[in-house]
């Protein structure tokens, strides 16, 4: 029998562009304050203060050029392994061969190679001296509070975005991608900017708990792709999460901030010259994003999104591709009516399956949900909708809270279900500033109120030194479709004579859906499907 297995492909990217206060020209010509300085930006021995080169040969501050191995001049490093020129790290244990650190992936230390493809990000890699913590110390209670806060954020940002869309619009985002990217930015925020970001993002842990919790979550999710797959069933499962930053050559970045990114997020920085080549860099970053998502995300940074004042771009990407644990049979797929919110119907390909699923119906009969597991059964799509087709969908979604979702997950019971589910694709492009301002994150977008002193070492509104967020760009794509394989289809259900009919759940009307990681209680993606056509 010729069968097609149903798979889901989902990708999401988020980019945050931070702008420098003042004009593009930096009269001080400051060097990067920290690790692996871009060669050629400073004259050797010009350090009155770290990163401030006012007079040649005037090294007044002890420890700037007096300590061996801490010189900005390329190749003049007395201490092995402390070279400012990328690629000349002779310290044993960092690289297989001295001086062979030009490509990520040549590092002996596990956790330094977080890039999932062979394509380097554009720019010159700035390697932190800090390696990633592969065993973050996060207790179970703290981690449970952390993931609950993340689910709160997922529904709050989703509701804000939904309020800005038409009633009949589909919506699909990755709250996890948004949260990670802004957590990395939050790591450099101070004072009121920090407080507003914490409130909007539902960050209730202190830094000593929050960033290690994100690290633990990321490392746990990285193991999902290690699931054993049934080759005869042509199963596939891939979950990649990527963090990457780009910084302006010669701009000050605080060591502690870069080290925090490396320690907890495995994030590298690539040095580029936004001042001279911002449009070419925009295109290069977009091409890199396309490569990471198999061409599913195009033009993440739209035209005119960058200019010569950009100093820092931070990107998070999630790529997910998974086979159902229980594949649908192609012969059971047929065109059927899907009820739209205006009372009309549209015809969509509807997949049908009689097999074991997680099923939820609450005691008040407000909501019905089905959990469709992917290969490995640690990640599933949880689809949920009003229990009765006659219920008011708008009233239902307006009243639905994170606690209601948690009740679904906790209340799933496994048994036979006759499921009908549409085949669909959806995508989204969002600029998130307005949504975050509605959540109370105001100062981060204001050129003279934003306080990212933890990134730059300078308080707000200092020309050429301070940063603020120009915009947050988010793109997402989802495809639930069928691919051809040859195998015995629906063994154990086709031809069986049930003693009783299983409950039937038909997603032939508007519904929500979440891609959910059960071991970590994490919503990776969240969607609203009101028109699959």
């Amino acid at each position: 029998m010729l069968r097609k297995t149903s798979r889901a492909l989902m990708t999401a990217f988020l980019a945050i562009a931070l702008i420098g206060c003042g004009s593009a020209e930096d009269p001080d010509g400051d060097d990067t304050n920290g690790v692996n300085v871009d060669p050629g930006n400073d004259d050797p021995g010009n350090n009155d203060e770290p990163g401030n080169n006012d007079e040649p040969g005037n090294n007044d501050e002890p420890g700037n050029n007096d300590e061996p191995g801490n010189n900005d001049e390329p190749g003049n490093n007395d201490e092995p392994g402390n070279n400012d020129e990328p690629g000349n790290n002779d310290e044993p244990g960092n690289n297989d061969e001295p001086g062979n650190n030009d490509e990520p992936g040549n590092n002996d230390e596990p956790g330094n190679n977080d890039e999932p493809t062979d394509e380097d990000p554009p720019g010159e890699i700035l390697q932190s001296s800090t390696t990633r913590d592969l065993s973050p110390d996060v207790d179970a209670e703290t981690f449970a509070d952390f993931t609950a806060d993340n689910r709160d954020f997922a529904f709050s940002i989703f509701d804000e975005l939904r309020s800005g869309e038409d009633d009949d619009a589909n919506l699909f985002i990755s709250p996890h991608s948004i949260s990670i990217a802004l957590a990395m930015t939050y790591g450099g925020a101070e004072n009121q900017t920090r407080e507003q970001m914490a409130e909007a993002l539902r960050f209730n842990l202190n830094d000593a708990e929050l960033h290690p919790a994100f690290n633990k979550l990321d490392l746990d999710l990285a193991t999902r792709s290690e699931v054993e797959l049934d080759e005869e069933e042509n199963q596939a499962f891939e979950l990649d999460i990527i963090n990457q930053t780009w910084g302006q050559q010669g701009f000050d970045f605080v060591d502690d901030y870069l080290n925090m990114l490396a320690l907890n997020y495995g994030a590298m920085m690539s040095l580029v010259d936004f001042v001279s080549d911002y449009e070419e860099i925009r295109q290069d970053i977009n091409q890199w994003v396309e490569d990471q998502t198999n061409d599913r995300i195009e033009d993440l940074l739209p035209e005119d999104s960058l200019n010569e004042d950009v100093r820092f771009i931070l990107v998070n990407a999630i790529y997910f591709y998974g086979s159902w644990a229980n594949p649908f049979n192609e012969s059971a797929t047929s065109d059927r009516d899907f009820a739209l919110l205006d009372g009309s119907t549209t015809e969509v390909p509807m997949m049908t399956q009689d097999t074991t699923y997680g099923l939820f119906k609450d005691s008040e009969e407000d909501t019905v949900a089905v959990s469709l597991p992917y290969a490995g059964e640690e990640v599933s799509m949880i689809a949920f909708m009003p229990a009765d087709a006659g219920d008011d969908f708008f009233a239902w979604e307006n009243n639905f809270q994170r606690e209601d979702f948690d009740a679904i997950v906790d209340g799933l019971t496994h048994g036979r279900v006759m499921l009908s589910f549409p085949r669909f694709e959806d995508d989204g492009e969002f600029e998130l500033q307005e949504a975050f301002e509605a959540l109370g994150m105001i100062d981060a977008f204001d050129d003279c109120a934003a306080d990212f002193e933890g990134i730059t070492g300078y308080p707000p509104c200092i020309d050429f030194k301070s940063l603020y967020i120009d915009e947050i760009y988010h793109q997402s794509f989802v495809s639930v479709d069928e691919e051809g394989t040859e195998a015995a289809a629906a063994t154990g259900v086709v031809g069986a004579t049930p003693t009783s009919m299983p409950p039937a759940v038909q997603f032939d009307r508007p519904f929500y859906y979440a891609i959910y990681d059960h071991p970590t209680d994490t919503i990776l993606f969240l969607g609203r499907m009101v028109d699959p056509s």
Side-chain angles (χ1 to χ4, degrees), residues 10 320 374 379-381 513-517 522-525:
M10 304 184 187
F320 173 68
Y374 292 103
V379 178
S380 74
M381 175 186 285
Y513 59 104
I515 307 305
Y516 186 75
D517 183 74
T522 295
I523 298 172
L524 299 173
F525 299 89

Side-chain angles (χ1 to χ4, degrees), residues 277-533:
D277 301 313
Y278 60 86
E279 176 57 24
E280 181 179 348
I281 292 165
R282 181 188 73 85
Q283 295 176 17
D284 288 344
I285 292 175
N286 283 346
Q287 184 59 56
W288 182 80
V289 167
E290 280 191 49
D291 294 340
Q292 303 303 302
T293 59
N294 290 333
D295 301 328
R296 292 297 185 179
I297 299 291
E298 298 179 354
D299 297 326
L300 172 68
L301 298 171
E303 287 189 21
D304 300 325
S305 60
L306 303 188
N307 57 43
E308 65 273 13
D309 294 328
V310 171
R311 292 295 175 267
F312 186 44
I313 288 183
L314 189 151
V315 167
N316 170 266
I318 297 182
Y319 177 85
F320 173 68
Y321 183 66
S323 301
W324 301 124
N326 302 306
F328 287 86
N329 190 325
E330 182 195 16
S331 65
T333 299
S334 61
D335 290 339
R336 289 169 51 185
D337 284 344
F338 186 95
L340 302 178
L341 290 171
D342 63 3
S344 64
T345 62
T346 185
E347 202 170 72
V348 300
M350 190 73 68
M351 304 180 294
T352 302
Q353 172 92 294
D354 176 359
T355 191
T356 299
Y357 289 112
L359 176 65
F360 171 84
K361 285 189 176 181
D362 63 12
S363 58
E364 299 179 359
E365 298 187 351
D366 289 332
T367 300
V368 61
V370 174
S371 176
L372 292 74
Y374 292 103
E377 304 200 8
E378 291 181 309
V379 178
S380 74
M381 175 186 285
I382 299 177
F384 49 107
M385 62 185 177
D388 192 282
D391 291 344
D392 185 333
F393 181 77
F394 297 118
W396 172 82
E397 67 178 347
N398 287 335
N399 291 327
F400 196 90
Q401 303 293 323
R402 186 268 294 177
E403 291 79 5
D404 299 311
F405 180 82
D406 289 351
I408 290 175
V409 174
D410 293 339
L412 289 169
T413 59
H414 289 80
R416 282 184 57 207
V417 177
M418 177 63 76
L419 175 67
S420 296
F421 198 77
R423 189 174 67 203
F424 63 87
E425 286 190 0
D426 194 22
D427 58 27
E429 296 183 14
F430 306 95
E431 295 181 2
L432 301 181
Q433 177 178 346
E434 186 175 332
F436 272 104
E437 287 179 337
L439 291 174
M441 184 172 137
I442 308 293
D443 288 3
F445 300 100
D446 187 296
D447 61 347
C448 262
D451 189 346
F452 290 104
E453 186 171 352
I455 299 178
T456 67
Y458 292 94
C461 210
I462 304 297
D463 283 353
F464 322 120
K465 307 293 184 185
S466 304
L467 293 177
Y468 67 96
I469 297 177
D470 181 53
E471 186 54 271
I472 304 171
Y473 302 97
H474 184 56
Q475 274 199 47
S476 57
F477 174 85
V478 55
S479 175
V480 179
D481 58 13
E482 297 172 349
E483 282 191 347
T485 60
E486 186 173 1
T491 303
V493 293
V494 175
T497 304
T499 57
S500 62
M501 290 298 293
V505 181
Q506 302 181 53
F507 285 87
D508 57 358
R509 50 193 171 89
F511 61 91
Y512 274 49
Y513 59 104
I515 307 305
Y516 186 75
D517 183 74
H518 290 264
T520 63
D521 296 319
T522 295
I523 298 172
L524 299 173
F525 299 89
L526 186 60
R528 176 186 195 254
M529 180 50 61
V530 298
D531 185 355
S533 65

Side-chain angles (χ1 to χ4, degrees), residues 13-282:
F13 256 82
L14 183 132
I16 302 174
L18 287 96
I19 299 292
C21 294
S23 69
E25 297 299 324
D26 185 343
D28 293 330
D30 280 2
D31 195 327
T32 302
N33 181 21
V35 292
N36 292 347
V37 178
D38 178 50
N41 284 344
D42 286 329
D43 293 329
N46 285 354
N47 302 314
D48 287 337
E49 294 181 5
N52 227 347
N53 306 318
D54 298 321
E55 295 181 14
N58 192 12
N59 304 324
D60 298 325
E61 285 287 325
N64 287 342
N65 272 347
D66 298 337
E67 289 279 331
N70 197 17
N71 302 315
D72 287 341
E73 185 172 0
N76 192 16
N77 304 306
D78 298 342
E79 184 174 332
N82 195 15
N83 301 316
D84 290 338
E85 183 173 28
N88 278 347
N89 298 325
D90 296 324
E91 186 172 359
N94 287 342
N95 302 295
D96 291 331
E97 295 181 12
N100 190 19
N101 191 23
D102 294 330
E103 290 186 22
N106 284 347
N107 302 317
D108 292 333
E109 184 80 12
N112 285 345
N113 183 16
D114 294 291
E115 195 166 345
T117 74
D118 293 332
E119 295 294 327
D120 290 342
E124 178 185 359
I125 301 299
L126 179 67
Q127 291 280 23
S128 170
S129 59
T130 300
T131 58
R132 187 167 191 177
D133 181 359
L134 298 180
S135 300
D137 184 14
V138 183
D139 64 70
E141 183 178 356
T142 298
F143 193 71
D145 291 342
F146 163 73
T147 56
D149 291 341
N150 285 349
R151 295 193 301 280
D152 269 338
F153 170 70
F155 282 97
S156 68
I157 189 64
F158 195 89
D159 287 345
E160 281 301 331
L161 292 173
R162 178 172 60 84
S163 67
E165 299 285 333
D166 294 335
D167 287 343
D168 59 353
N170 298 330
L171 184 62
F172 180 70
I173 65 169
S174 174
H176 183 60
S177 176
I178 297 169
S179 186
I180 291 176
L182 280 158
M184 291 191 284
T185 312
Y186 171 79
E190 302 287 351
N191 301 314
Q192 186 167 289
T193 299
R194 177 186 178 83
E195 293 170 5
Q196 292 177 358
M197 292 184 72
E199 180 181 356
L201 292 159
R202 307 298 196 263
F203 289 165
N204 293 312
L205 302 180
N206 59 46
D207 273 11
E209 298 171 323
L210 179 71
H211 299 298
F214 268 109
N215 189 18
K216 173 177 168 53
L217 175 56
D218 188 56
L219 293 170
D220 286 352
L221 292 174
T223 67
R224 300 297 176 261
S225 295
E226 299 171 5
V227 63
E228 291 187 15
L229 301 175
D230 189 333
E231 294 183 2
E232 291 185 2
E233 293 289 336
N234 196 35
Q235 287 185 332
F237 190 95
E238 184 176 356
L239 177 62
D240 293 324
I241 300 175
I242 308 160
N243 300 312
Q244 177 65 36
T245 65
W246 284 268
Q248 171 64 39
Q249 293 174 355
F251 189 80
D252 282 340
F253 292 102
V254 173
D255 281 8
D256 286 347
Y257 178 72
L258 297 178
N259 292 337
M260 183 277 294
L261 293 181
L263 181 70
N264 297 293
Y265 299 93
M268 301 181 298
M269 179 178 284
S270 292
L271 296 176
V272 293
D273 188 3
F274 293 112
V275 174
S276 302
D277 301 313
Y278 60 86
E279 176 57 24
E280 181 179 348
I281 292 165
R282 181 188 73 85

